[in-house]
Amino acid sequence: QVQLVQSGAEVKKPGASVKVSCKASGYTFTSYDINWVRQATGQGLEWMGWMNPNSGNTGYAQKFQGRVTMTRNTSISTAYMELSSLRSEDTAVYYCARVASSGYYYFDYWGQGTLVTVSS
Amino acid sequence: DIVMTQSPDSLAVSLGERATINCKSSQSVLYSSNNKNYLAWYQQKPGQPPKLLIYWASTRESGVPDRFSGSGSGTDFTLTISSLQAEDVAVYYCQQYYSTPEITFGPGTKVDIK
């Protein structure tokens, strides 16, 4: 069965960086784009960007340009999202999500979420 | 950017009654070449990731109970829960993927039991 398993919770200081992993199993990792979505406590869903695991091509929401980097390691079917220059407003649960159908960005499988807390 | 709005912000419905959630996009998400509406609905329960319910505005994801249905076209869409069950208490989000890959979500509608 398809699974996306994310790394554990992180606590970071303002100005630091965080790298969250998303390990895929149950399907061919390189066949489906991975997106990252975050959710602050009690708030809605915010799209951050996408990555094609086959080519490594990426695209980021304007809001995160210059601060976010999405990468992958195809040998271990894992996608990564690194966010730098962290501030308190980045405290949120970060989700990876698999695109359900090539070219159509709705998401059929989601990771369990990784809580990132930014606090001095 | 395509801006998504939802109404109401929250609603409380008696068990077995109908729940209706509205979603509006700032521009049409109907792609004329294939006559498809690029609109999905998700359910999110506390402490869980979102779960895909509906895509192409009205296609139910495999395994989703048939009490969930989606309708609408262009800029106005509706998610209907025909007979609310206790396990349907959640926040529901619409999402447009017309502007793939720059997708956007609605702000969410919280559904509770009256």
Side-chain angles (χ1 to χ4, degrees):
Chain A
Q1 74 283 19
V2 174
Q3 279 193 299
L4 298 174
V5 178
Q6 298 182 222
S7 48
E10 303 261 14
V11 179
K12 295 293 183 181
K13 293 196 182 304
S17 296
V18 68
K19 191 171 186 177
V20 179
S21 67
C22 171
K23 182 170 177 59
S25 61
Y27 72 98
T28 302
F29 175 63
T30 51
S31 295
Y32 297 82
D33 289 0
I34 291 285
N35 283 231
W36 290 87
V37 175
R38 78 177 186 179
Q39 184 173 39
T41 302
Q43 302 301 306
L45 302 167
E46 183 175 32
W47 178 75
M48 299 182 69
W50 63 272
M51 182 192 64
N52 180 304
N54 185 46
S55 63
N57 288 345
T58 57
Y60 307 132
Q62 182 84 6
K63 176 177 180 176
F64 300 103
Q65 291 271 5
R67 279 211 304 146
V68 70
T69 305
M70 296 176 188
T71 58
R72 88 291 190 213
N73 183 333
T74 56
S75 67
I76 56 172
S77 299
T78 300
Y80 302 93
M81 187 283 299
E82 184 169 20
L83 189 62
S84 62
S85 302
L86 289 168
R87 34 214 190 224
S88 59
E89 311 88 88
D90 294 318
T91 294
V93 175
Y94 289 76
Y95 294 103
C96 60
R98 189 186 85 158
V99 169
S101 179
S102 178
Y104 306 116
Y105 271 33
Y106 58 94
F107 312 117
D108 58 354
Y109 288 94
W110 296 65
Q112 83 275 19
T114 297
L115 175 62
V116 175
T117 303
V118 183
S119 174
S120 55
Chain B
D1 285 10
I2 299 178
V3 177
M4 308 300 290
T5 56
Q6 290 182 231
S7 62
D9 294 335
S10 65
L11 74 160
V13 175
S14 300
L15 289 172
E17 295 301 304
R18 179 184 301 258
T20 302
I21 301 167
N22 301 301
C23 172
K24 191 175 183 67
S25 57
S26 61
Q27 66 185 73
S28 176
V29 298
L30 173 63
Y31 196 45
S32 55
S33 67
N34 60 11
N35 201 37
K36 289 190 174 216
N37 287 284
Y38 286 48
L39 192 285
W41 288 96
Y42 299 85
Q43 174 194 65
Q44 187 179 33
K45 297 180 180 180
Q48 296 184 18
K51 173 188 174 183
L52 177 65
L53 295 177
I54 303 277
Y55 55 97
W56 299 125
S58 60
T59 301
R60 206 177 297 115
E61 173 72 336
S62 175
V64 173
D66 61 7
R67 64 180 180 273
F68 292 93
S69 64
S71 63
S73 185
T75 60
D76 293 280
F77 300 91
T78 300
L79 176 70
T80 301
I81 309 172
S82 61
S83 175
L84 191 75
Q85 305 300 303
E87 61 265 32
D88 301 334
V89 170
V91 179
Y92 293 83
Y93 295 93
C94 61
Q95 177 229 322
Q96 66 79 18
Y97 48 101
Y98 182 89
S99 59
T100 289
E102 306 252 347
I103 62 95
T104 47
F105 293 94
T109 294
K110 185 176 182 182
V111 174
D112 269 318
I113 305 294
K114 186 186 291 184

